[in-house]
Amino acid sequence: MDNCSKQEILDRRYLDMARIWAQNSYCKRRKVGALLVKDKMIISDGYNGTPSGFPNVCEDENGITHPYVLHAEANAITKVAQSNNSSAGSTLYVTASPCMECSKLIIQAGITRVVFSEMYRLNDGLKLLESVGIETVWIPEENAGEHTAETSCASGCSCVSPSCAESKSSADNDASSLPFTPPVC
């Protein structure tokens, strides 16, 4: 087994663990999990939710996310900042690609690699990470035929669902406009 295969196996396992960690979220619309890994050790974890001391309610009565809800990446980064560990040179495993705000935190935290499984609705955060040389790796979750327009269609699926057809016609979700490529081993 070569190094690329070993790394991809580890990447998939850490992403699986991030998906399990996402289940801790009280958010109803979307549950996101994140793990920070350095030297094959998990140094921090996070999931999307409210700040300490707030009620564990992420959405209002209309299903709109409260503006104070923290993303999984932000929770993992702030948690490691309170510890004796350093995130410099670490890899962030997150179930959804980072937004622009989380990407800024990732850069400042010295994280050098981001591995994710679902495409966030915007890719400006990924473009920012790539612009400063942070490696981004997209490993789509393997759901035998079940997917959303944000995930599989960005990688060029051939389905015919209305949401996928709409995303295929959108330049924003065109795979050629994305700043990264899935790993090739």
Side-chain angles (χ1 to χ4, degrees):
M1 187 180 303
D2 62 18
N3 285 339
C4 187
S5 296
K6 286 180 184 178
Q7 185 60 57
E8 187 173 352
I9 289 168
L10 283 173
D11 288 346
R12 289 181 184 281
R13 287 182 180 159
Y14 284 126
L15 277 175
D16 286 344
M17 290 191 289
R19 278 190 280 277
I20 291 168
W21 203 245
Q23 295 171 14
N24 289 316
S25 174
Y26 288 91
C27 297
K28 294 177 183 173
R29 285 183 31 175
R30 180 177 217 162
K31 296 178 184 291
V32 179
L35 295 177
L36 262 174
V37 177
K38 187 173 183 179
D39 301 325
K40 297 182 184 176
M41 292 184 300
I42 298 171
I43 61 170
S44 188
D45 54 63
Y47 52 88
N48 57 327
T50 57
S52 299
F54 281 68
N56 286 322
V57 178
C58 298
E59 296 89 4
D60 65 19
E61 61 279 352
N62 298 317
I64 305 297
T65 302
H66 292 298
Y68 51 79
V69 170
L70 292 165
H71 288 190
E73 306 94 302
N75 269 326
I77 291 168
T78 56
K79 190 174 183 179
V80 78
Q82 294 176 349
S83 74
N84 291 327
N85 287 315
S86 169
S87 56
S90 66
T91 296
L92 176 69
Y93 292 90
V94 62
T95 57
S97 61
C99 69
M100 178 62 83
E101 292 303 311
C102 288
S103 292
K104 290 187 248 181
L105 291 173
I106 291 165
I107 293 166
Q108 290 302 98
I111 296 166
T112 56
R113 189 166 179 263
V114 176
V115 181
F116 62 97
S117 58
E118 297 173 29
M119 188 64 62
Y120 183 63
R121 62 184 171 84
L122 302 173
N123 66 10
D124 55 351
L126 289 171
K127 288 180 181 179
L128 180 67
L129 294 174
E130 287 286 321
S131 75
V132 297
I134 294 176
E135 180 185 359
T136 59
V137 180
W138 181 21
I139 302 177
E141 187 174 359
E142 296 171 6
N143 288 349
E146 294 181 37
H147 62 272
T148 64
E150 291 106 15
T151 55
S152 298
C153 286
S155 66
C157 81
S158 58
C159 73
V160 292
S161 77
S163 63
C164 291
E166 289 170 18
S167 71
K168 286 178 187 174
S169 64
S170 168
D172 289 341
N173 287 336
D174 180 17
S176 64
S177 70
L178 298 174
F180 53 86
T181 55
V184 178
C185 292

